[in-house]
């Protein structure tokens, strides 16, 4: 007996059979439409990058635990991209001379991370990225928040189904230093602790705080600061607030788009000020749906030029969980709209010409590859999700006619060949 290989995909990756692919394409098609309407232009890049670009800037979790690395035949260390931001920063830096800043770009790459597969987390996901490069203005933040609301609306979500929570890392650093007494050396550790605040039980957090060297009183105070919401802003120094784009947004006309939340810090190391995450309001999905932030010196890995960026990454897994939870996921499309069936092999060429005619009008149309009896072909057409069939019989064809039948109502009409597309559309309603 030959030993057969498994037909299942590698752990944490997914096959997308046509029904799942159809849902994915429809969901992301809506998102592309919204992004294009905002003037974002699509780009793409290689799945393989130098491992170094993640090791330098993305932070320890990605670099030490999640990166898929390989060495090519000439000894270069490469990685499967775990995210798109370092790649796009490289492209922007390499083409800065010919770009008219600020630029708005979007992409839809697949990203690989070696993670423990669980709800909302897999090892290969597809992520929409939308970023603005070359501006420090708070108008970028406003546009990001508006865009997020329109993307969610484009998927059918209403305002009560999600919330945009935002913070500014500089405000958080100031609160941690001034109010909690965290030292500069402890800050990175406390940021990582804050990032886990909602995901870990209290005793695990306390143990981690102790490791960082926080006293019990400080741990308690940290809890107060993180739970303070907008009231925390009153306790922060004016000069820090004056330099915060987020504070400006919160005091302007776009304030209602976002909720200030000291707990949002995000896991990636390169964010320098504004950070935000979108959450499902349903308790079924307690992980962030997607998130992003402002990074002022990621391009600095590649160029002395200062090119700030701001944007977010929106993954397919969390998004489709969200749509399923709220009953918003689209149905997979049928295989075809119409099947053209020759009664015998003699009419195969005629059937193909009718099918060509129908395709020309935008109807998704197939003809049988291996012709069976008419009854069997009708059943197959029904299973393929076709809503109409066109039957081509010799006598009809000799008279210049075909028979169009609705599979839903069984209504049937014999019409001149040239009228077939119009009749199909009429019967489809
Ligand atoms: P991130 O938070 O690491 O940010 O990922 C963004 C989104 O990608 C997540 O919220 C989630 O929807 C999805 N995602 C990430 N990892 C996984 C996974 N293992 N399984 C399933 N989905 C996942 C970034 O990647 C930043 N580069 C985003 C960004 C763009 N910031 C600025 N511009």
């Amino acid at each position: 007996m030959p030993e057969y290989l498994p037909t299942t995909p590698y752990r944490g990756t997914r096959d997308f059979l046509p029904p799942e692919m159809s849902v994915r394409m429809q969901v992301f098609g809506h998102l592309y439409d919204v992004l294009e309407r905002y003037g974002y232009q699509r780009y793409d890049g290689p799945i393989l990058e130098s491992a170094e670009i993640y090791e330098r800037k993305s932070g320890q979790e990605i670099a030490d635990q999640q990166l898929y690395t390989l060495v090519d035949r000439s000894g270069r260390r490469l990685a499967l991209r775990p995210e798109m931001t370092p790649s796009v920063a490289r492209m922007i830096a390499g083409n800065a001379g010919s770009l008219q800043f600020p630029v708005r770009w979007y992409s839809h790459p697949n990203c690989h991370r070696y993670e423990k597969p669980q709800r909302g987390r897999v090892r290969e996901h597809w992520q929409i990225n939308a970023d603005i490069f070359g501006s420090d203005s708070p108008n970028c933040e406003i546009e990001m928040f508006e865009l997020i609301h329109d993307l969610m609306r484009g998927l059918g979500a209403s305002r009560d189904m999600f919330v945009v929570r935002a913070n500014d890392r500089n405000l958080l650093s100031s609160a941690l230093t001034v109010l909690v007494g965290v030292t500069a050396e402890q800050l990175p550790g406390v940021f990582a602790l804050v990032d886990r605040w909602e995901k870990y039980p209290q005793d695990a957090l306390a143990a981690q705080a102790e490791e960082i060297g926080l006293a019990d009183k400080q741990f308690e105070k940290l809890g107060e600061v993180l739970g303070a919401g907008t009231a925390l802003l009153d306790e922060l120094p004016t000069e820090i607030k004056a330099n915060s784009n987020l504070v400006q947004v919160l005091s302007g006309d776009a304030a209602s788009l976002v909720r200030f939340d000291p707990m949002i810090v995000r896991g990636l190391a390169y964010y320098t000020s504004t950070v935000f995450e979108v959450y499902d309001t349903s308790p079924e999905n307690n992980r962030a749906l997607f998130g992003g932030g402002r990074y002022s010196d990621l391009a600095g890995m590649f160029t002395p030029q200062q090119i700030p960026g701001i944007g977010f990454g929106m993954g397919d897994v969390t998004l489709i969980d969200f749509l399923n939870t709220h009953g918003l996921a689209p149905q997979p499309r049928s295989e075809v709209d119409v099947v053209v069936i020759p009664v015998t092999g003699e009419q195969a060429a005629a059937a193909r010409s009718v099918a060509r005619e129908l395709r020309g009008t935008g109807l998704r149309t197939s003809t049988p590859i291996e012709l069976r009896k008419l009854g069997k072909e009708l059943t197959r057409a029904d299973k393929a999700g076709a809503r109409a069939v066109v039957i081509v019989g010799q006598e009809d064809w000799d008279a210049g006619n075909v028979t169009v039948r609705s599979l839903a109502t069984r209504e049937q009409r014999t019409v001149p060949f040239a009228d077939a597309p119009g009749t199909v559309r009429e019967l489809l309603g």
Side-chain angles (χ1 to χ4, degrees):
M1 272 289 273
E3 204 173 299
Y4 294 108
L5 297 174
T7 56
T8 44
Y10 165 61
R11 183 168 147 81
T13 67
R14 295 159 292 162
D15 294 326
F16 290 86
L17 300 191
E20 289 101 57
M21 195 62 202
S22 168
V23 171
R24 196 176 105 189
M25 277 172 59
Q26 291 178 69
V27 168
F28 285 97
H30 289 309
L31 301 179
Y32 300 162
D33 281 352
V34 175
L35 286 158
E36 299 266 342
R37 270 185 267 139
Y38 268 76
Y40 284 70
Q41 288 185 293
R42 187 158 173 182
Y43 66 94
D44 207 345
I47 196 166
L48 285 171
E49 287 277 5
S50 136
E52 214 182 332
I53 71 172
Y54 310 108
E55 290 164 348
R56 279 220 210 161
K57 290 279 181 180
S58 296
Q60 268 179 358
E61 193 182 26
I62 283 204
D64 297 348
Q65 294 159 26
Q66 298 181 341
L67 211 55
Y68 280 92
T69 51
L70 62 110
V71 178
D72 77 4
R73 286 170 194 271
S74 48
R76 291 185 200 90
R77 283 190 62 246
L78 303 175
L80 286 183
R81 65 181 165 214
E83 55 158 337
M84 197 61 166
T85 316
S87 303
V88 69
R90 177 179 61 67
M91 291 177 224
I92 290 283
N95 296 281
S98 59
L99 294 170
Q100 178 176 285
F101 289 109
V103 298
R104 295 176 171 94
W105 280 10
Y106 82 98
S107 61
H108 191 194
N110 56 342
C111 300
H112 292 82
R113 298 185 190 182
Y114 188 74
E115 297 213 46
K116 189 164 159 244
Q118 55 197 283
R119 182 166 172 86
R121 280 289 172 273
V122 291
R123 291 182 174 170
E124 181 191 36
H125 72 281
W126 269 258
Q127 196 191 78
I128 289 259
N129 277 250
D131 291 85
I132 303 176
F133 288 93
S135 170
D136 287 320
S137 163
N139 289 334
C140 299
E141 271 83 351
I142 294 178
E143 180 159 309
M144 285 292 139
F145 300 144
E146 275 187 349
L147 177 59
I148 287 171
H149 280 263
D150 278 335
L151 288 168
M152 296 301 282
R153 212 189 335 266
L155 296 171
S158 56
R159 281 289 293 257
D160 58 327
M161 291 178 187
F162 67 96
V163 53
V164 186
R165 299 161 66 186
N167 194 5
D168 179 330
R169 283 190 173 181
N170 297 324
L171 298 179
L172 182 64
S173 296
S174 166
L176 295 174
T177 316
V178 178
L179 305 173
V180 187
V182 172
T183 64
E185 299 75 59
Q186 289 172 327
L187 264 182
V190 178
F191 266 48
L193 178 64
V194 175
D195 192 40
R196 296 189 177 147
W197 202 261
E198 290 180 305
K199 301 171 199 144
Y200 284 59
Q202 192 71 6
D203 50 345
L205 298 173
Q208 201 186 333
E210 205 181 321
E211 251 173 57
I212 300 167
L214 294 189
D216 289 352
K217 275 239 149 49
Q218 284 180 298
F219 182 64
E220 220 173 274
K221 183 68 188 170
L222 178 61
E224 274 172 42
V225 162
L226 298 181
T230 322
L232 181 68
L233 291 174
D234 301 335
E235 295 185 54
L236 296 179
T238 320
E239 6 16 300
I240 301 275
K241 287 188 279 187
N243 284 323
S244 168
N245 280 5
L246 184 62
V247 170
Q248 286 199 49
V249 175
L250 292 170
S251 56
D253 63 291
S256 65
L257 298 175
V258 59
R259 183 201 294 169
F260 174 69
D261 192 331
M263 222 173 295
I264 299 302
V265 57
R266 304 219 0 98
L268 293 160
Y270 49 69
Y271 295 117
T272 43
S273 55
T274 310
V275 278
F276 49 90
E277 276 182 341
V278 180
Y279 279 82
D280 188 343
T281 49
S282 158
E284 240 177 87
N285 300 310
N286 50 13
R287 179 184 285 292
L289 271 176
F290 58 97
R294 184 177 270 289
Y295 41 98
S296 35
D297 53 10
L298 196 50
M301 269 196 288
F302 309 101
T303 173
Q305 208 178 329
Q306 177 84 13
I307 312 172
I310 179 170
F312 58 84
M314 190 180 201
D316 65 325
V317 183
T318 41
L319 197 60
I320 291 186
D321 281 348
F322 169 84
L323 296 176
N324 283 329
T325 301
H326 294 277
L328 297 172
Q331 289 300 313
R333 284 182 92 188
S334 61
E335 281 174 38
V336 281
D337 300 313
V338 193
V339 180
V340 183
I341 308 172
V343 176
T344 71
E346 306 278 292
Q347 298 90 40
R352 288 204 312 275
S353 72
V354 175
R356 270 199 305 278
E357 200 69 25
L358 294 170
R359 289 183 198 119
T361 70
L363 288 163
R364 297 171 309 141
T365 310
S366 68
T367 55
I369 289 178
E370 293 180 17
L371 187 63
R372 293 162 181 78
K373 291 220 164 68
L374 183 59
K376 285 221 165 111
E377 288 301 342
L378 290 172
T379 309
R380 286 174 71 85
D382 201 33
K383 277 203 181 142
R387 291 186 298 140
V389 292
V390 178
I391 301 163
V392 184
Q394 195 60 52
E395 239 175 73
D396 276 353
W397 188 250
D398 288 342
N401 293 333
V402 291
T403 297
V404 180
R405 181 196 292 196
S406 156
L407 289 178
T409 62
R410 310 270 155 200
E411 188 184 344
Q412 183 166 307
R413 288 185 215 160
T414 299
V415 296
F417 163 68
D419 296 348
T423 311
V424 168
R425 285 193 187 278
E426 251 174 63
L427 288 182
L428 293 185

